[in-house]
């Protein structure tokens, strides 16, 4: 199934990159690569992620790529990555 990154999720990923970039350009790229590679899993196995506790609905799930949460919604024709947030933060209202 096709994995689509929403503008919101892309913005989150860019913010993560820019924050880490301040200290380490190499590590910033590695983290972004790790997160994007991990998201490829959901294309083949959409239900491999756990339900997001804050929503507890079947179609909104998350994968953990420590310390980040990759939050996505399963749709009939594609999977939308909704957000990428640090595990210590609360879910933003904009997902």
């Amino acid at each position: 199934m096709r994995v689509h990154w929403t503008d919101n999720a892309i913005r989150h990923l860019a913010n993560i990159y820019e924050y880490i970039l301040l200290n380490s350009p190499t590590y910033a790229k590695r983290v972004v690569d790790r997160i994007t590679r991990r998201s490829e899993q959901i294309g083949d196995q959409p239900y491999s992620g756990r339900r997001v506790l804050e929503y507890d609905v079947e179609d909104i799930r998350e994968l953990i790529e420590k310390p980040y949460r990759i939050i996505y919604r399963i749709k009939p024709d594609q999977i939308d990555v909704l957000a990428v947030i640090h595990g210590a933060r609360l879910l933003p209202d904009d997902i």
Side-chain angles (χ1 to χ4, degrees):
M1 192 175 297
R2 179 176 175 266
V3 177
H4 169 259
W5 281 72
T6 64
D7 291 342
N8 191 50
I10 292 169
R11 189 170 45 256
H12 289 168
L13 195 60
N15 289 340
I16 291 166
Y17 177 81
E18 290 170 10
Y19 180 77
I20 298 171
L21 184 65
L22 296 173
N23 293 311
S24 174
T26 302
Y27 188 63
K29 183 179 179 339
R30 283 185 197 160
V31 169
V32 168
D33 287 347
R34 253 186 29 230
I35 291 170
T36 54
R37 273 196 313 271
R38 180 80 162 130
S39 73
E40 294 171 3
Q41 170 186 336
I42 60 179
D44 295 327
Q45 301 171 341
Y47 290 95
S48 61
R50 66 182 182 191
R51 284 183 176 189
V52 175
L53 297 176
E54 293 88 343
Y55 296 109
D56 195 30
V57 293
E58 186 67 25
D59 65 338
I60 298 180
R61 298 191 165 247
E62 69 181 341
L63 288 176
I64 306 299
E65 184 58 42
K66 285 189 177 189
Y68 298 99
R69 298 168 70 184
I70 305 166
I71 300 171
Y72 62 96
R73 171 176 279 136
I74 302 168
K75 293 180 166 181
D77 58 335
Q78 71 182 21
I79 296 166
D80 288 343
V81 177
L82 304 174
V84 180
I85 61 166
H86 193 282
R89 298 187 65 183
L90 296 175
L91 281 182
D93 293 333
D94 62 349
I95 72 164

